[in-house]
Amino acid sequence: DFPEAYRQKGIKVTSYAQDLIDRTELSDRPQEVVLIWPSGRDLGLTRGVPYSRFLEAGQARGYHLNQAEAALYLRLQDINQPLGDWYWMAMEPMADRNGDPDVFALGHSEGGLWLDADWTNPGFRWDPEDRLVFSVSK
């Protein structure tokens, strides 16, 4: 029961993240995955690029996209995320209520811990300092 678990830990969920949660299929048997948080710069990106290019740079290094549900579990586990820190899930974008392609964003602001969603429209440029969460083979 993610909503209750989030409430108990003081995690706030935006309405756009809720759109994605509502569209996320949970697997019957969640699997353990190893996650890494490289920045675009770590992946060799030196300027802003579309989300798809950011994903390609990670996949070229052997990193894998996550199932959307990984963000839901990660938000529960990463409760000591530093203040001001934000990262995004490397995953297939999902449509929000407006039909825009979004991915989960996890952050810690003055308002607390957040599960949010950000759009991945091709015209939007991701900064080399942004970090995506990929999975790696065990």
Side-chain angles (χ1 to χ4, degrees):
D1 182 16
F2 286 104
E4 181 57 27
Y6 291 154
R7 271 192 293 281
Q8 288 179 4
K9 293 191 177 194
I11 296 167
K12 297 164 183 70
V13 177
T14 67
S15 61
Y16 286 97
Q18 189 63 52
D19 290 347
L20 300 192
I21 292 170
D22 293 344
R23 291 170 175 80
T24 298
E25 292 185 33
L26 299 178
S27 55
D28 294 335
R29 295 184 204 143
Q31 298 178 3
E32 185 176 328
V33 296
V34 177
L35 301 174
I36 59 168
W37 286 255
S39 70
R41 196 162 308 288
D42 295 335
L43 299 174
L45 303 174
T46 58
R47 65 184 196 298
V49 297
Y51 181 75
S52 61
R53 178 65 188 104
F54 209 128
L55 292 181
E56 289 169 7
Q59 290 176 305
R61 285 169 174 69
Y63 305 154
H64 308 286
L65 302 186
N66 296 294
Q67 296 297 317
E69 71 180 311
L72 307 181
Y73 291 105
L74 180 57
R75 178 67 290 169
L76 285 173
Q77 293 174 3
D78 190 8
I79 57 170
N80 294 316
Q81 186 177 9
L83 183 64
D85 185 54
W86 284 85
Y87 52 82
W88 295 263
M89 296 304 288
M91 57 182 268
E92 288 294 330
M94 300 168 66
D96 65 20
R97 70 188 71 180
N98 300 318
D100 292 323
D102 288 355
V103 296
F104 284 112
L106 291 80
H108 186 186
S109 71
E110 294 290 337
L113 294 172
W114 289 90
L115 180 62
D116 197 358
D118 278 333
W119 58 299
T120 60
N121 289 335
F124 181 76
R125 298 289 187 233
W126 292 70
D127 190 82
E129 301 309 317
D130 290 338
R131 293 180 301 139
L132 291 186
V133 179
F134 291 89
S135 60
V136 294
S137 300
K138 293 183 193 179

